[in-house]
Every structure is written in C-alpha cells, then in structure tokens.
C-alpha cells in the first residue's frame, strides 16, 4: 500500500490553520483554508477524478467479470476496505511518516471476486466511510482529494488487472502477476499523486523522495498482496479454509505494529541520547537549550518547543526559551506569567506531564498553541519551570502517552542542565559582583582613583612596614582644589565632575608607580608616597601637582582655572595611625591655603588649633546675619592728585562673639563653600547702600562717590541677581551710577560667557565694573577687551615697598599704561607708604586706597573722619592755593587727618 513522507514537516509554508489529506494518503498537508494552495489541490483532485472517469469509460466499464466459483457480497469487501483503512499503522522516521495498511487485502480479493463496477462501489463506499470518519474537522478538499485518488487507483487497478489476467481455472502465476502489477501500479500512482498534492499545497517538493517512498511502500504492498493472493486461492478452492487465514493476517498486522513500535523505541533512545549529547556539548547554557528545543521539535514532530523558567517570586516574570519552525529562537525572554496561569497551576499541583488543548488561560499566554504536552522541570531544589512541546506537525495525530514519557525524560535532562547552568552562572555572577563590590568599595566611581578606604588601608600597611625598619617613611600629601566649589556652582555639577576627572588624571600623572593617588571625596585628593626624612621627593611631587593644576582646564568648551593647595604630613612615630596622618596633612593644607592659595605646607603642630577653629566657624557662619554679628567697614578711595575722597570700598566683617573680629579672608571662602555667601552678599549691598544714603542725606557726602562692592561669582550666578540689585537700589534710592561692582580676574574668567552677560546688564543700568586684584590672576589683554570693564584695581602685590628696586614697579607701570590705552580708571590698592604714593602719582595712577590713605573702618569712624577730612581737604587746598606748602604728599598736613584712619 501507499506510503508517503510527511509533507508538512518539510514544508517551508507555515500556513495555518492546517488541513491534511488524511490517513488514506498518509500525508499531512499544511494548507491555508483559502488561497492558491487549496485551489491547486482542488484542481488536482478534479484532475484525478477526471482521469478516473476517463480510465473507467475507456478500460473498465466494458470489462467482463471473471468466472469465479463463489460470489462474495460487495458490502463484505467494502467492510474490509473500511477496516483496512482505519487500522493503518504509521511509522515515523524523524520528520517523515510512513504508513502501512492492509488495504491490499480487500483490493486483491475484490479484483478477483467482484464485478468491476461493483468493485469500485465497494472501494469507494468502504474506504470513503473510513475517510469520512477520519477527515472530520478537516478541510473538505482533503476528502475530495482522497476520494478522487481512490477512484483513480481503483480504476487503474481494474484496468491493469483485467488487461493481464486470464483466469479460466484457479488463479495461477499469471493471475498473481496481474494482481501484483495492479497493486504496485496503484502504489506508485498514489505516491506520485500525494507528492504532487504536497508540492502544490506549498510544501517542499517531494519528488526526490519518491523512489524511497515507492520502495518502502512497494515492499509492504508485495507482502500484503502475497497474503491476499493466498486468500484468493483458498476462497477459490476451499472457501471454508479462509478462516485459517485470519490468524496469519492478524499476526502480520501485529508484527507490523510491533515492528513500528520497536523502531520508534529505538528512535526515541537515539533521540534521548542525542539530546543529552546536545546538552553536554554546548558550552553555553543558552545555546544548549535552544539546540535541545530544536531537537525536541524534531523528536516530537512539533511546530514549537519551549522551556519556561518560573519566576522566583509571585510577582516576577518567567523566562521563556523557545524554538519554532521558522524564525529566530527566543532566548530567555521575560514573559508575564501569573501565578494563576492554568498550565503553571496544573504543573505545580500535579507535578506530572500532561496533554492539553488550549484553554482560555493558556491561549492568553500562547495563542499559537493548539495542542500541547507540558512537563514540569524539576531540579534538585524543586520545581524550576516547565517544558512544552506543541502543535503536532502530522495532522490527525496527537501526542500520546509515549510522547509524554519521552518528554519527561528530556525535561529531566534539561532541568539538570538548567540547574547546573544556573548554578554556574549564578556562581560566576556572584564572584563578578563580589569583585565589582570590592572595586566599588575601594575606588571612587567618578575618577576611578582609589578611595579613602583603600588609601587608609595602604597607609596602614606602609606604616607597618616603616615600623619594621624601612629606611623610607610613608608621606601623605593632602590636596584640596582652590575654588572648586565656585566652578561647581557656576558651571554646574556635570562640569564639576568633569573637572574632578581631569584633575584626577593630572594628579595621577604626577606620581610614579608605587605611589598611590586617591580621591578622598569632594575636591579632596590624597597622595601616598615614601620618602627620606628630608621630604625632598614629597615636596617635589607637591610642586609638580600644583604646577600641573595651574594650567587651565578645558571643560564644556570653556577654560576653567582651579589651583590646588597641598598639605604634607609625615608620621611622628610608628605608632601613628593612618587617619592621624591624613588629618595632619589636611591641617597643613589649610595652612597652605591661608598663606595664599596654590601653595604647599608641611604639617606644623602649632597651626593645629587655628584650623580646628576654622571648621567650627563654617557652621557658625550661617547664623551670623540673623545674630547681627556681621558689619560692613568702609575704606576710603582717594583721588591721588586732589586727595579728595572719591569712593569707599565696603568690606565685610564678622564680629564673632568668641573670636572677635574675623577678617573676610577667613570666612568669605567658607561662605562660598557653604552657600551663605548669597545671603551675606545681599546683606552687604543693602547695608552699604543704606549707609551711604544716610551720609548723603546727612550732608557729609556732598559729591558723588563710588561705592565699591565686592562680589563673589556665586552671587552673579543667581538668576535674579540683577533684579535683586536693582530692587535694593530702588528701595534705598541709591544711584546706580555711584555703584562699582568688584570682581577678581579669576572669578570673572570662569564661565566667561554668562559672566559677561550679567556684567553687561549691570552696566546697562549705570553701574561700573572693576577688576579686583588685577595682575594676580589670568591677566590678559584679550579678556580685558571682551569684558565690560571700567576700572582696574592694581593688586597690593604690585604696589611695592620703598626698599624694592625701581624695576619692580614695572608691572604697576604697565597696568597704568594699559588702563590709559583702554580708557580705564586705575585704582592702586595697598598704599602704605608715602613713597608708594609718590611713585603711583608719577606713573599717572588716578586713584588709590591703602592704610596710608585710610584703613577700613566702621561707619561711625568714617563718618567723623569724613567730616574732619572734608574740612581738612578744604584747608589743604586753601594752603596749596596760598602757596604755603610745596607740592609733595608726605609733607602735606592732611597726613595728620588721614593718620587717624590708619588706627
Ligand atoms: P580686597 O577686595 O582686595 O579688599 C582689600 C583688602 O585689602 C581688605 O582686606 C583691606 O582691609 C586690605 N587693605 C586695604 N588697604 C591695605 C593696605 O594698605 N595694606 C594691606 N596690607 N591691606 C590693605 P579685608 O577687608 O580683609 O578683605 C579681604 C578680602 O575679602 C577682600 O579683598 C575681598 O576680596 C573680600 N571681601 C571683603 N568684603 C567682601 C564682601 O562683602 N563680599 C565679598 N564677596 N568679598 C569680600
Ligand atoms: Ca575689593
Ligand atoms: Ca583687592
């Protein structure tokens, strides 16, 4: 009888829903319910039916029945056809299905004993009933194809048989050959028709498999035919003896079954072996699972195989690895998996493999699954997930108990692999995390430098070595950036972070292997190195770092300048601990800062106390305004030619209840660091404006004066800064034209774009801009041109003592010349000696301030001086006009008056 490979399994066409051509053809065809493949199969069916009618009309209709000794009732043969069709035995070779049936038996008997047309009726009715039963729920084209195929087979068999047979007595060898030729031919024709149907329905072409199909089918057909011929001879000669054949026929049938099941068992073992090999050979768990699932699909002739790992907790997601016929496999993809998922529930409760058709819940998870078997994945530590194989490719067949048992075995292999793999993976993950944690615990995430923990640990180790008699001693350098806070506040944290990274790089570049550069936090870095007691190398390294930091950084397209101050400490003795050493270096760093930034200092126990105080100060500063501890002192600014008071600089003071008067150098930086500067700066503006207006109203200040206010860049960065100042001026009635805003070069230089914009706004409202401490920072002509600047204040450093060389004045000279070229007003700061005043006047400097001309004093003091000074100036001018004194500052009587200001 006909055999055919399973076309669907080899088909590329994933069309669903499937229909199959049913058991008669032993083929499963995957067809779309509509569309060209179906139409083609319909056409083929019509063609086969047409051929059958043609053969019938030409070669069968007029055939003469054989003269037989007995008449068999056609329904008996029809019944045999029906039974033979229903009792087919399928054998699966991997993705192919071959089928045996005993159909040759009724065929051969019918050919001999039935009148040709009656034979066709028996064939079509008997097989038709079986087909109809088996085709329930399938596409009608399947039944149509099978019936027309049957009709063609039947007519062909009749034509061939009758063409060859010549029976006058009991059938002999010629009749046998005729019967064999008939069954063989129909075998071949059926195989061709099925292959054509599969190809037409979109499956892979089956023709190259034809020889194999025919060979296998031919053998079975031959055996069946021989048995059937035996039956014919018995019926012909000794009808009753036919019952004796029941046993051999049944035995043959059982033997087929046994053969098939043996084969399948063997196949299963091979498959199981293959799956364990797959798991062992795949180095990666993921790829092993995918390979195993693909293998399982073949094994069970299924469309889809998947493994779902259950979430560890009820809320989590499951992980699905899935292999399907077409498309990329899915690997460990998270899927929503409710605890109420019906399949999962059944797995959890039942703990065994089971077959199932889609229920509503299952459909929600995998709508593509029509029929499936699912099996728990049980590892040593219990249920870890499920394995599902779904959608049998061979239509009309479903998963059976055998498949379930096989799946259970595959699943147990998978579970073991998964558990081992998971174990390995989680172990690897754990050690990776541990390493990462260790690194995190010991390194600064921003700069990648070792952190405080690692640094202290290393210092401890070196201290222990030193105690062991090493000639070198561990040295700790403590680096703190100057004005980092300002950069952070003006340019933002991102810029601050970039700067820290850049600083870290430069610092790391200044030390050598064996030294340790660490970031302690914020803008604090520490360096550990070993040196001889004279600290030669430590100091050299510190200088190198300070120099390296001097060069501007390129941050967000802007040049940023920050310096660094370094404190150095060496252990007093071997007993000293790491944190003591760090603290000492920290204190030395503060000394370095206090001495002027960008310096280094080696720890000296005597400065200890003042630094401790500094830390406390910062905390107290916040409440200082509320406690009215702040005051503004005023320092006169004088026209160097006329000696007239042309302005005052407001300088903030903190009258600390314990420490007394704290100078701004000691707390302005703290205020900038802790943010108090905004409130403080605002308070100074209000206070100073109020004060000057008071003097104006009192008539002590008759001429317009310049009120010079020192600004921190942080204040300027406030979005409402300009409006705030404007508001204060309006409320106090202060004329913006009399207000001078002072800022240092370095402060201006930071975030120059934004600063320029703000300063322009102030200027547009009438205020003037002064560059404070000019010459100490990044003085360049370029920026003087870009910045809205009206006044340059020559830093104290360039107003040199009388004892110095004439060429030391070169800088002051240059600044005055520069100011004149650019049309700027120059104010010299720190004039303490009459010689300096003379020199500045010679240079053409217009204005000055300094202890000689007047110290910063509280408002009340200035008020009395202002009164006296106004009178004195009048007197001087009168005397000068009268010619009673010669020109030249030191001799002038006003020194008496101004001396009072020097205090
Ligand atoms: P500065 O703006 O350069 O102020 C001048 C400093 O020089 C004042 O120090 C003043 O007392 C001092 N000084 C004036 N004449 C002489 C002199 O002849 N010889 C010497 N050796 N020093 C002289 P002070 O008041 O201690 O202020 C220090 C710095 O604090 C100021 O330097 C300024 O940068 C800052 N500062 C003061 N008040 C404020 C303020 O309200 N806001 C801000 N942001 N900073 C302020
Ligand atoms: Ca100033
Ligand atoms: Ca200054």
């Amino acid at each position: 009888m006909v055999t055919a490979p399973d076309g669907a399994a080899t088909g590329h066409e994933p069309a669903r829903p499937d229909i199959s051509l049913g058991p008669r053809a032993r083929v499963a065809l995957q067809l779309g319910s509509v569309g060209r493949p179906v139409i083609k199969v319909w056409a083929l069916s019509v063609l086969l039916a047409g051929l059958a009618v043609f053969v019938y009309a030409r070669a069968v209709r007029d055939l003469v029945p054989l003269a037989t000794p007995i008449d068999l009732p056609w329904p008996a043969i029809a019944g045999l056809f029906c039974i033979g069709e229903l009792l087919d035995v399928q054998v699966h070779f991997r993705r192919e299905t071959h089928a045996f049936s005993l159909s040759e038996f009724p065929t051969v008997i019918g050919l001999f004993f039935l009148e040709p047309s009656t034979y066709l009726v028996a064939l079509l009715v008997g097989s038709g009933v079986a087909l109809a039963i088996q085709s329930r729920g399938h596409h009608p084209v399947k039944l149509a194809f099978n019936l027309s195929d049957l009709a063609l087979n039947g007519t062909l068999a009749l034509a061939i048989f009758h063409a060859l047979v010549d029976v006058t007595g009991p059938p002999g060898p010629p009749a046998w050959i005729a019967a064999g030729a008939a069954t063989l031919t129909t075998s071949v024709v059926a195989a061709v028709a099925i292959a054509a149907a599969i190809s037409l329905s979109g499956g892979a072409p089956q023709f190259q498999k034809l020889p194999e199909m025919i060979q296998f089918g031919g053998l079975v057909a031959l055996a069946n035919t021989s048995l059937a011929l035996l039956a014919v001879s018995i019926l012909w000669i000794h009808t009753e003896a036919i019952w004796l054949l029941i046993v051999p026929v049944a035995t043959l049938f059982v033997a087929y079954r046994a053969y098939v099941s043996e084969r399948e068992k063997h196949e299963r073992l091979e498959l199981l072996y293959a799956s364990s090999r797959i798991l062992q050979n795949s180095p990666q768990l993921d790829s092993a699972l995918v390979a195993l699932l693909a293998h399982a699909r073949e094994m069970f002739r299924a469309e889809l195989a998947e493994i779902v790992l259950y979430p560890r907790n009820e809320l989590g997601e499951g992980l699905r690895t899935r292999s399907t016929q077409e498309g990329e496999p899915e690997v460990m993809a998270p899927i929503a998996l409710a605890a109420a998922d019906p399949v999962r529930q059944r797995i959890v409760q039942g703990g065994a493999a089971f077959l199932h058709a889609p229920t509503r819940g299952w459909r929600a998870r995998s709508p593509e699954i029509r029929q499936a078997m699912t099996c728990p994945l049980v590892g040593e530590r219990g249920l870890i997930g499920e394995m599902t194989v779904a959608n049998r490719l061979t239509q009309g067949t479903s998963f059976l108990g055998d498949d379930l048992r096989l799946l259970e075995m595959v699943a147990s292999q998978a579970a073991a692999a998964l558990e081992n793999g998971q174990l390995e993976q989680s172990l690897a993950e754990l050690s990776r995390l541990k390493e990462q944690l260790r690194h995190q615990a010991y390194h600064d995430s921003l700069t990648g430098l070792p952190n405080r923990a690692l640094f202290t640990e290393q210092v401890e180790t070196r201290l222990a070595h030193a105690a062991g008699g090493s000639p070198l001693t561990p040295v700790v350098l403590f680096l703190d950036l100057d004005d980092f806070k300002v950069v952070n506040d003006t340019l933002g944290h991102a810029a601050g972070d970039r700067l820290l990274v850049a600083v870290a790089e430069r610092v790391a570049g200044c030390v050598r292997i064996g030294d340790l550069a660490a970031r302690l936090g914020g803008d604090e870095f520490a360096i550990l190195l070993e040196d001889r007691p004279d600290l030669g190398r430590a100091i050299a390294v510190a200088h190198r770092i300070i120099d390296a930091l001097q060069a501007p950084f390129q941050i967000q397209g802007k040049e940023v300048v920050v310096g660094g101050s370094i404190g150095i400490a060496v252990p007093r003795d071997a007993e000293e601990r790491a944190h003591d050493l760090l603290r000492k270096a920290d204190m030395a760093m503060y000394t370095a800062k206090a001495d002027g930034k960008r310096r280094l200092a080696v720890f000296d126990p005597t400065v200890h106390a003042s630094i401790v105080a500094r830390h406390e100060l910062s905390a107290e500063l916040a409440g200082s305004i509320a406690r009215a501890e702040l005051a503004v002192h005023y320092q006169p600014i004088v026209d160097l030619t006329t000696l007239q008071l042309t302005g005052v600089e407001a300088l903030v003071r903190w009258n600390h209840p314990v420490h007394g008067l704290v100078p701004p150098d000691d707390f302005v930086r703290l205020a900038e660091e802790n943010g108090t500067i905004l409130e403080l700066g605002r308070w100074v503006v209000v206070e100073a404006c109020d004060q000057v207006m008071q003097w104006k109203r009192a008539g002590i200040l008759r001429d317009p004066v310049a009120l010079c206010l020192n600004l921190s860049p942080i204040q300027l960065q406030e979005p409402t800064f300009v409006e705030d100042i404007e508001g204060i001026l309006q409320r106090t009635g202060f004329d913006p034209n009399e207000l001078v805003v002072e800022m240092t070069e370095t402060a201006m230089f930071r975030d120059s774009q934004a600063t320029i914009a703000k300063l322009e706004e102030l200027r547009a409202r009438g205020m003037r801009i002064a560059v404070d401490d000019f010459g100490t920072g990044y003085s360049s002509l370029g920026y003087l041109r870009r910045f809205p600047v009206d006044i340059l204040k020559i830093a104290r450093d360039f107003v040199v003592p009388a004892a110095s060389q004439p060429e030391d004045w070169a800088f002051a000279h240059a600044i005055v010349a520069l100011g004149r070229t650019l049309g700027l007003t120059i104010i010299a700061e720190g004039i303490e000696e009459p010689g300096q005043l003379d020199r500045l006047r010679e240079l053409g400097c217009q204005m000055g301030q300094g202890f000689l001309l007047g110290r910063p004093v509280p408002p009340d003091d200035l008020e009395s001086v202002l009164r006296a000074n106004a009178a004195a100036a009048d007197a001087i001018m009168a005397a000068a006009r009268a010619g009673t004194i010669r020109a030249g500052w030191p001799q002038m009587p006003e020194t008496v008056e101004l001396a009072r200001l020097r205090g």
Side-chain angles (χ1 to χ4, degrees), residues 30 153 191 295 297 380 400 427 439 470 558 566 637 687 720 748 842:
Q30 288 193 335
N153 285 343
H295 177 67
R297 272 198 302 109
E380 270 175 31
L400 299 169
L427 278 178
H439 189 89
S470 158
K558 296 193 179 93
I566 294 181
I637 297 170
E687 179 69 21
T720 58
M748 277 193 181
E842 277 170 31

Side-chain angles (χ1 to χ4, degrees), residues 162-307:
H162 280 276
L164 297 176
V165 81
D166 177 21
V167 180
T168 41
W176 301 344
I177 288 168
T183 51
L184 275 178
T185 312
T186 52
S187 248
V188 172
V189 170
V192 173
I194 288 157
I198 289 170
S199 299
L200 286 178
S201 68
Q206 298 292 313
F207 296 105
Q208 77 277 8
K209 287 188 180 153
L210 266 179
E212 191 195 333
M213 286 159 62
I214 292 165
Q215 188 190 13
F216 189 83
L219 262 173
V220 175
L222 198 66
N224 286 349
T225 306
S226 308
L227 204 61
L229 285 171
L230 199 60
V232 169
S233 295
I234 291 169
L235 282 171
W236 205 286
I237 298 156
H238 189 342
T239 312
E240 277 83 63
I242 193 70
W243 302 112
L244 290 174
L245 255 190
I246 288 180
V247 175
V249 169
T251 308
L252 183 67
F253 181 74
V254 170
Y256 281 158
R257 285 239 144 151
Y259 166 74
V260 165
S261 89
E262 258 329 292
R263 238 201 113 98
E264 284 196 344
K265 256 184 217 155
H266 176 71
E267 192 96 338
R268 272 154 205 265
L269 273 176
E270 265 186 6
L271 292 171
L272 260 184
Y273 178 64
S275 60
S276 76
R277 219 173 31 216
I278 287 173
L279 288 174
Q280 276 161 14
N281 294 351
S282 304
Q284 237 84 51
L285 180 67
D286 291 3
S287 53
L289 279 189
V290 170
L292 179 75
L293 288 172
H295 177 67
R297 272 198 302 109
E298 289 211 350
M299 217 162 150
F300 295 105
R301 298 185 311 284
E303 212 171 85
L304 178 156
E306 67 176 29
I307 280 176

Side-chain angles (χ1 to χ4, degrees), residues 635 649-653 663-665 668 677 680 684 710-712 715 742 772-773 796 829-832 849-852 856:
Q635 185 176 35
E649 178 172 4
L651 294 161
V652 69
R653 297 287 180 267
D665 281 334
V668 167
I677 192 68
L680 186 150
V684 171
N710 292 287
L711 277 194
S712 157
Q715 287 172 269
E742 291 189 9
D772 206 349
D773 298 341
R796 228 167 33 230
E829 293 187 282
I831 306 171
E832 292 181 353
Q849 64 184 112
F851 292 172
L852 176 70

